[in-house]
Amino acid sequence: VNAYHQILIELGRFDQLLAETEAQANSTKPDDWVILQMRGVAKARKNDRDGAIAEFDRALTLATEAGNEQAVTQVATTIAQVAGVDATLQRLNDRIQTDTRWKFFAAELHKQKQDFVMAIKLYEEVLADPALGPNARLTVLRSLGSTYL
């Protein structure tokens, strides 16, 4: 199903995708986050930014409630690509404040939008986490170093 929906998006058949997934639009099934994400992409491509954000918010809610952090990351990445970095940062703000992994994700987004001062600040906060393992520390240092270049 997901590959089919992706093909519809690639072909520009946004209305068809939205019509065929209308039944899942108000779903509470944990795995339907991906349908809501696709609906968000379709609405964004139709220039319905508010509708897209609403679909993405529901996808984030389902993925979060399911405890599926990989899905949350995928939806967040899609929001950044489709609706912009600021929309993503706004939706992840609580996570960014309390979770080192999301703080790193936010630093990467700030670097993407060339807000290097904020990216560096966030990278340094991540590095200050005593629970950060050596491999993760190396990843953060690489990202921080490339930000200075």
Side-chain angles (χ1 to χ4, degrees):
V1 173
N2 296 338
Y4 169 70
H5 292 142
Q6 187 63 42
I7 290 169
L8 290 178
I9 286 175
E10 289 174 16
L11 292 174
R13 294 184 179 171
F14 311 125
D15 290 328
Q16 183 179 347
L17 181 138
L18 292 169
E20 290 180 12
T21 59
E22 186 63 34
Q24 290 113 331
N26 296 312
S27 176
T28 58
K29 294 180 189 173
D31 290 339
D32 280 349
W33 65 267
V34 72
I35 299 288
L36 298 173
Q37 175 182 271
M38 293 284 189
R39 289 177 58 81
V41 171
K43 287 184 177 184
R45 299 262 172 90
K46 288 182 57 147
N47 295 318
D48 178 4
R49 187 176 193 285
D50 292 339
I53 292 295
E55 298 287 355
F56 290 137
D57 283 345
R58 286 197 302 277
L60 281 173
T61 298
L62 286 182
T64 300
E65 288 173 355
N68 188 342
E69 286 297 309
Q70 184 177 6
V72 173
T73 301
Q74 188 173 342
V75 175
T77 301
T78 300
I79 296 169
Q81 293 168 343
V82 174
V85 169
D86 290 330
T88 308
L89 292 168
Q90 180 181 4
R91 271 141 194 85
L92 298 177
N93 190 50
D94 291 342
R95 286 179 172 90
I96 294 165
Q97 301 305 316
T98 60
D99 186 317
T100 299
R101 187 172 73 91
W102 288 107
K103 196 168 287 198
F104 177 79
F105 188 85
E108 293 287 298
L109 291 176
H110 279 285
K111 185 165 76 171
Q112 180 180 330
K113 74 175 200 167
Q114 299 185 352
D115 182 355
F116 301 119
V117 172
M118 181 56 80
I120 290 168
K121 176 184 178 295
L122 290 168
Y123 286 133
E124 289 174 349
E125 288 178 18
V126 171
L127 287 171
D129 183 347
L132 195 65
N135 289 338
R137 183 170 302 284
L138 184 58
T139 299
V140 176
L141 287 170
R142 283 183 180 138
S143 291
L144 179 59
S146 71
T147 304
Y148 281 113
L149 300 176

